[in-house]
Amino acid sequence: NYLFMAFSGEEKGLLGSGYFAKNPSIDLLKVNYMLNMDMIGRLKTEDPTLIVSGVGTSDAWKITMNYIKHDNFKVKTTESGVGPSDHTSFYLKNIPVLHFFSGTHNDYHKPTDDEEFINYTGEINILNYMISLIQKLDDKGKLNFVKTKEEDSEESPRFKVTLGVVPDYAFEGAGMRIDGVSDGKPAAKAGLKAG
């Protein structure tokens, strides 16, 4: 069984996915993994590269991905399960995640990012890659979860100064409640915890 979800509020702080992760309509212990398709429609034609983040969140990811043919683009991977998209809400609940991203462009997060700029062939190739991954995992059982280190990426720049927390953007009380803490960062060293 597969659950398809469309989250709102990502640009304002993972509001939709964060709410679902805290108030799930299904038992999250039964969720095997989360695949995040955030920005897969603008695969570059001159240097087609699919960025896949979160490959360190389960031992199964790299092994399985090695068996998938993909002649239409390069695959560039990062280990971390934390990033500026909805997969982070699931990673913080100890669920293996992958985030598929076709890269930034001049219209990134602007109203000029219109339908006529979508690379439909590229998007179909990415979706076929994801379907192959799902099919190869179908009979593998429950994937193990691995906690990863947060890493910087030129495709998804991070602040140079950080506490190492994921804020709970939906929290309306006094102060700042946090959804997660990154290992090795100042917040973790100070003993701060989610919640």
Side-chain angles (χ1 to χ4, degrees), residues 76-98:
K76 181 178 178 182
T77 62
T78 61
E79 300 276 322
S80 180
V82 174
S85 191
D86 291 307
H87 61 284
T88 299
S89 299
F90 291 82
Y91 171 80
L92 294 173
K93 294 294 185 181
N94 298 330
I95 296 171
V97 298
L98 287 181

Side-chain angles (χ1 to χ4, degrees), residues 27-32 142:
D27 181 359
L28 290 184
L29 294 175
K30 294 181 180 178
V31 175
N32 197 0
K142 185 108 168 121

Side-chain angles (χ1 to χ4, degrees), residues 152-153 157-163 185-186:
D152 293 335
S153 159
R158 301 270 190 261
F159 295 107
K160 297 292 182 201
V161 178
T162 180
L163 289 175
K185 301 287 183 183

Side-chain angles (χ1 to χ4, degrees), residues 99-166:
H99 173 211
F100 297 85
F101 181 58
S102 58
T104 58
H105 46 78
N106 291 336
D107 302 302
Y108 187 68
H109 282 186
K110 295 180 186 170
T112 54
D113 191 7
D114 288 326
E115 179 273 335
E116 66 263 21
F117 300 120
I118 294 173
N119 176 352
Y120 288 103
T121 301
E123 189 167 9
I124 289 168
N125 290 335
I126 292 169
L127 291 170
N128 285 332
Y129 178 82
M130 294 175 72
I131 289 167
S132 296
L133 177 69
I134 291 167
Q135 288 171 336
K136 290 193 181 302
L137 292 172
D138 267 351
D139 61 353
K140 301 292 186 221
K142 185 108 168 121
L143 274 59
N144 70 314
F145 173 78
V146 178
K147 195 166 184 156
T148 61
K149 284 187 174 180
E150 194 171 339
E151 55 193 30
D152 293 335
S153 159
E154 59 191 58
E155 287 81 18
S156 143
R158 301 270 190 261
F159 295 107
K160 297 292 182 201
V161 178
T162 180
L163 289 175
V165 298
V166 177

